[in-house]
Amino acid sequence: MSITSPIPVLHNSGGSTLRYEDEALVLRRSDEEVRIPLPAVARIHAEGRAVAVELTAPTGTAPAVHRLDDVSEAAAALFAEAVTAVLPERAAGADPVDGSALVVVRALTESPDEERRRRAKRRTRIGIATVGSVFLALALAVGIHGQPIVALLTLLVGPVGAASLAYAWMGAEDLYLQWYLPRRGITVQARRVGQSRIMGGTFQTYVYTDLHGESRTVHHRGGGATVEVAYHPDKPHIVRIPESRGQKAGSVAVTVFLILFGLVVELATVYLLYAAFVDGYPGYGPS
């Protein structure tokens, strides 16, 4: 049986983490992973919103220090206290070893999952910039031709309709996967290993093993010690926790509302732009 460590995982705003794992401290940054065995740690202490890991060093030499800044102050204090409690005892009078020689540094390359997430974020940014540029250009055009109110409404309302349709698209895709994966995918048990804060909400974190033997994580708002997850056989990173009929009905209602709302808003924006251009260009449109 796997027992989850009670020692918290420290996260900073830059995406770096510091965790206790298999009798070692693992400091992970975007480009490298530093593994510090506990015998290499002289002491660890919290400094406000930072944690400093001081390594052992022979007498007369300056010890190396690894730091993680910009973390939760409460979590940093708890982490330092908990790790200090599990540090191995050292024989009195013995000359400390060089802790730096025990540290293993590994360069990190981007995993397929990380590459997919990076590309998805890039596509999202490009989409937002494109939609924003289109509405900005339209607003400038009608504003130049004497319709400032329509220009303001275009900037304020147009993106709202576009966002509604974008969320509706994601909702429709999720509904399709909720139907497809339990029927055509692979369903396995995932076990809870902790919880995470995502976009201000608290989610339970579950781990499952795909058919290639790779461990993967999925987040869910609620659930017990284990949940069933269904993933795509050819794309194991595509995974869903099957919802109840009530949850699916709610998702359908929300998706339909977003579609209708987005269409109404965009059609109204198009009509206002059309009317503005007709009034803004003398001789354009029906006489």
Side-chain angles (χ1 to χ4, degrees), residues 26-275:
V26 180
L27 177 59
R28 186 183 179 94
R29 299 188 176 94
S30 60
D31 57 347
E32 68 176 7
E33 180 182 271
V34 181
R35 190 173 188 85
I36 309 170
L38 291 186
V41 179
R43 66 190 186 107
I44 177 170
H45 54 98
E47 302 172 351
R49 297 189 61 193
V51 169
V53 180
E54 182 180 313
L55 304 186
T56 57
T59 303
T61 61
V65 178
H66 294 273
R67 290 175 57 90
L68 181 64
D69 298 306
D70 193 25
V71 298
S72 163
E73 186 172 351
L78 178 59
F79 185 90
E81 181 182 354
V83 172
T84 299
V86 298
L87 289 179
E89 295 184 1
R90 294 179 175 83
D95 192 30
V97 299
D98 184 3
S100 298
L102 304 178
V103 173
V104 177
V105 180
R106 179 170 65 93
L108 297 178
T109 56
E110 195 173 45
S111 69
D113 284 349
E114 290 170 335
E115 182 181 3
R116 277 189 291 267
R117 286 193 290 268
R118 178 178 57 80
R119 288 182 176 179
K121 290 180 180 178
R122 183 171 179 269
R123 287 194 297 268
T124 300
R125 288 195 295 268
I126 291 174
I128 291 173
T130 301
V131 171
S133 299
V134 169
F135 282 111
L136 179 60
L138 291 171
L140 287 174
V142 296
I144 289 172
H145 291 281
Q147 298 290 340
I149 299 301
V150 176
L152 181 61
L153 288 174
T154 300
L155 282 177
L156 295 179
V157 178
V160 173
S164 179
L165 292 175
Y167 280 113
W169 174 266
M170 290 188 289
E173 182 182 33
D174 185 70
L175 286 169
Y176 170 74
L177 291 175
Q178 283 286 345
W179 172 86
Y180 177 85
L181 292 178
R183 292 166 176 78
R184 305 292 178 84
I186 299 175
T187 300
V188 296
Q189 289 283 330
R191 61 183 178 85
R192 186 173 60 197
V193 295
Q195 64 182 23
S196 304
R197 296 281 295 179
I198 302 175
M199 297 181 66
T202 301
F203 290 78
Q204 304 301 318
T205 302
Y206 293 87
V207 172
Y208 67 98
T209 303
D210 65 23
L211 73 170
H212 302 296
E214 183 175 347
S215 293
R216 298 182 179 273
T217 59
V218 62
H219 303 285
H220 189 51
R221 279 197 176 276
T226 62
V227 294
E228 283 191 351
V229 299
Y231 66 89
H232 198 291
D234 300 323
K235 302 172 183 177
H237 63 280
I238 298 179
V239 58
R240 291 293 186 277
I241 295 177
E243 297 179 342
S244 65
R245 290 185 178 180
Q247 290 173 318
K248 290 177 183 176
S251 298
V252 169
V254 171
T255 301
V256 171
F257 170 79
L258 290 174
I259 291 173
L260 295 176
F261 177 78
L263 288 175
V264 168
V265 169
E266 292 305 295
L267 288 174
T269 303
V270 169
Y271 174 77
L272 287 174
L273 288 169
Y274 171 77

